[in-house]
């Protein structure tokens, strides 16, 4: 067969001027490349089994190693945000219940945990980590049912990280003096720990594992909308035969959290949540001896330079903002694109969000699950409305969302200016604000132009540029050519209104110790 005949049969065979055949695919300029969709992107349903999951009709408080009814006598409903069905009733602890939990933690601290060697404490933590691994599939399904996050995230990201945090800090329990050479570490006492609803089990692990490794006892309050998995974690503590009272878990709303913060017999408060509540906590502990760490909101800049690998960067944008429905404090919610590649990035982003599947979080193919609560959905809608009113342009794929449950499609805004609310406030949903820049200096200035300072991302082909930029970004965590990567060995925390103190790594031990 002649070269000419061959070239006529395939579009990908290019006959060059001298007649030689080049079998490389024709290079399509980046600004003309396009994903083709059609029905090739639809998948058959792949639901995760949930019929074996046992959800009790009522969850009590976990105090002194036992499940006890709240003195308040009150309960509230926990709803599956994907179906709006009631899953269970949760005990609503009042100040009296908080007092019982704190007393139990104090007794366990003085009676057992403080006296125990680090080696023995470590054994309990290893045992807890292994039990979490054993039950991880069940816990992942529960996490998805209670909070709306996709099963692929709770199964492949949250639960492995939960176990990894316990394993990691188990390793430190008998090596604290090596973590701080020349110093003598001492535990603090009773830690009050208040966590949010976006990563319920993972935030519990971030708080409990280092506190216990350092020899403290704990009173943990999960968020109102996602308390169920914390109570299953309490069962794991029972199975691990953790001494009674070392961890106490009390459920309730903001008032319960406030009662923990105000309790005089608590030595340390660790909080993850909104900046507004973080400010209240700062006022509440001022003038007391309580130590405080705050992990608050963020409005991270994800910066894409012209020399970045664009397709990878687009994937980084997707995971940066649409991971966990955008309910992520370090979400890359402000995208800064260098002007020369703006049109290309927007086109690719528009194409890519059209491929994201929104719906049943228990389906293994779902990319974006349910918004955690009606209240959070209302907040997202209100901020999106403000963006439209202030003149930004919204891009959203056309989707058929389930009739029941709380949903929001993956979306992004162009035409955003720094003064828009959508460029300043945490939307905490799958909504991205896209802006442009010309020079690295402008990117740095605009990225830092926020009251927050939790995280950032930089995408470029040049290592030197990465070093130059990351050193000037006022953010606790900066990812280079990746986004939203977590590891128990790596510290996490913010500057400015994103809080203070670090969780994870050796740094994560410090908030739970005094050093002599
Ligand atoms: P909150 O800050 O209100 O909640 C975080 C935790 O604090 C929950 O356990 C909450 O209890 C508890 N809490 C509420 N009020 C008090 C108080 N006065 N004293 C002590 N504890 C308290 O966050 P929201 O759930 O209301 O979310 C609001 C916004 O906060 C979100 O839209 C998002 O922008 C941001 N946020 C940021 C998070 C982050 O990781 N940085 C995480 C969650 C939210 P309860 O849930 O029962 O009210």
């Amino acid at each position: 067969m002649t070269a000419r005949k061959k070239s006529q049969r395939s579009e990908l065979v290019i006959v060059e001027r001298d007649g030689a055949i080049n079998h490389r695919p024709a290079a399509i300029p980046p600004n003309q490349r396009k994903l083709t969709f059609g029905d090739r992107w639809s998948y058959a349903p792949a639901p995760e089994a949930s019929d074996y999951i046992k959800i009790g009709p009522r969850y009590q408080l976990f105090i002194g190693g036992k499940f006890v009814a709240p003195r308040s006598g009150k309960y509230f409903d926990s709803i599956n945000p994907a179906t709006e069905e009631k899953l269970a009733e949760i005990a609503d602890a009042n100040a009296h219940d908080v007092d019982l939990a704190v007393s139990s933690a104090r007794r366990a601290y003085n009676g057992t945990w403080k006296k125990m060697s680090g080696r023995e404490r470590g054994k309990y933590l290893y045992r807890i980590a292994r039990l979490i691994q054993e039950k991880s599939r069940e816990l992942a399904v529960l996490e998805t049912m209670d909070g709306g996050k996709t099963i692929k995230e709770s199964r492949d990201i949250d639960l492995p990280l939960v176990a990894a945090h316990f394993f990691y800090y188990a390793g430190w329990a008998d090596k604290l003096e090596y973590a701080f050479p020349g110093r003598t570490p001492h535990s603090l006492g009773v830690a009050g720990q208040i966590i949010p609803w976006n990563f319920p089990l993972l935030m519990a692990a971030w708080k409990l594992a280092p506190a216990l490794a350092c020899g403290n006892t704990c009173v943990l309050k999960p968020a109102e909308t996602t308390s169920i998995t914390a109570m299953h974690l309490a069962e794991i503590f029972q199975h691990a035969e953790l001494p009674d009272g070392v961890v106490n878990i009390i459920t309730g709303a903001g008032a319960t959290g406030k009662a923990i913060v105000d309790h005089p017999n608590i030595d340390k408060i660790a909080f993850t949540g909104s900046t507004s509540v973080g400010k209240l906590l700062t006022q509440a502990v001022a003038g007391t001896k309580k130590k405080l760490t705050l992990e608050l909101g963020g409005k991270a800049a994800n910066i894409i330079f012209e020399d970045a690998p664009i397709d990878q960067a687009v994937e980084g944008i997707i995971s940066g903002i649409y991971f966990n429905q955008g309910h992520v404090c370090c979400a890359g919610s402000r995208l800064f694109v260098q002007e020369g590649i703006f049109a290309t990035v927007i086109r690719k982003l528009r194409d890519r969000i059209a491929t994201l599947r929104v719906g049943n979080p228990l389906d293994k193919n779902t990319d974006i699950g349910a918004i955690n609560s009606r209240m959070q959905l209302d907040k997202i809608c209100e901020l999106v409305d403000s963006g439209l009113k202030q003149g930004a342009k919204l891009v959203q794929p056309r989707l058929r969302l389930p009739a029941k449950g709380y949903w929001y499609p993956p979306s992004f805004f162009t035409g955003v200016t720094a003064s828009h609310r959508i460029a300043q406030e945490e939307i905490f949903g799958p909504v991205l604000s896209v802006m442009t820049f010309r020079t690295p200096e402008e990117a740095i200035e605009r990225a830092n132009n926020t009251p927050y300072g939790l995280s950032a991302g930089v995408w470029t082909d040049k290592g030197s540029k990465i070093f130059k930029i990351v050193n000037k970004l006022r953010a606790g965590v900066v990812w280079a050519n990746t986004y939203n990567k977590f590891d128990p060995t790596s510290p996490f925390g913010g500057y400015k209104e994103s809080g203070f103190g670090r969780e994870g790594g050796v740094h994560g031990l410090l908030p739970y110790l005094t050093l002599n």
Side-chain angles (χ1 to χ4, degrees), residues 223-448:
E224 203 178 336
T225 56
T226 53
S227 301
I228 291 179
T229 47
M231 303 323 291
H232 285 254
L233 188 61
E235 282 177 8
I236 287 182
F237 296 148
Q238 282 184 329
H239 294 163
E241 295 175 8
L242 188 70
D244 292 349
V246 169
V247 175
N248 304 272
I249 304 182
I250 52 166
T251 45
T256 312
K258 189 172 180 321
I260 295 177
V261 174
D262 292 341
H263 199 287
N265 209 6
I266 282 204
D267 302 291
K268 149 98 197 161
I269 296 291
F271 173 81
T272 299
S274 61
T275 297
S276 53
V277 174
K279 286 180 181 173
L280 293 176
L281 265 58
T282 314
Q283 289 164 8
V285 304
T288 71
K289 285 186 179 162
K290 290 171 195 164
K291 270 185 118 177
L292 179 67
T293 39
L294 297 175
E295 201 268 273
L296 309 176
K299 193 75 187 173
N302 202 2
I303 305 168
I304 320 284
F305 284 96
E306 279 168 358
D307 57 11
I310 294 184
D311 289 335
Q312 286 92 323
V314 169
E315 288 311 305
I317 298 166
I318 296 289
S319 75
I321 185 67
Y322 304 121
F323 167 63
N324 201 35
Q325 297 69 249
H327 301 330
V328 185
C329 47
C330 53
S333 52
R334 288 181 304 149
L335 176 67
F336 290 99
V337 184
Q338 201 159 12
E339 268 186 10
I341 53 165
F342 178 73
T344 308
V345 169
I346 290 300
R347 194 176 44 71
K348 283 174 182 281
L349 194 57
R350 187 191 293 257
D351 288 351
R352 184 66 177 89
I353 63 169
T355 69
L356 296 174
R357 286 174 293 271
V358 184
N360 181 7
L362 277 174
D363 191 308
K364 291 162 205 161
N365 293 322
T366 298
D367 299 300
I368 298 186
I371 298 302
N372 183 266
S373 64
R374 158 76 59 197
M375 220 170 79
Q376 188 58 29
L377 180 58
D378 291 346
K379 184 185 161 185
I380 296 169
C381 294
E382 193 270 323
L383 271 161
V384 168
D385 285 348
S386 85
L388 290 169
K389 276 190 206 128
Q390 290 187 307
K393 194 174 148 223
L394 183 67
V395 179
Q396 260 177 6
R398 256 190 227 106
L399 288 175
R400 202 177 302 139
L401 296 172
K404 281 216 141 188
Y406 315 131
W407 311 96
Y408 204 86
S411 316
F412 67 85
F413 273 110
T414 56
V416 180
T417 69
S419 62
H420 285 167
R421 282 182 64 202
I422 52 168
Q424 290 293 331
E425 293 178 36
E426 195 175 34
I427 301 176
F428 227 60
V431 184
L432 174 69
S433 298
V434 189
M435 290 165 270
T436 57
F437 67 94
R438 289 185 184 167
T439 62
E441 290 69 30
E442 188 189 348
I444 294 163
E445 195 168 323
R446 301 195 69 184
N448 287 338

Side-chain angles (χ1 to χ4, degrees), residues 1 14 51 65 71 89 97 155 166 284 324 329 378 434 437 492:
M1 193 189 294
I14 301 162
D51 48 354
R71 294 295 168 109
E89 287 180 358
D97 296 304
R155 182 196 60 195
F166 277 100
N324 201 35
C329 47
D378 291 346
V434 189
F437 67 94
F492 184 93

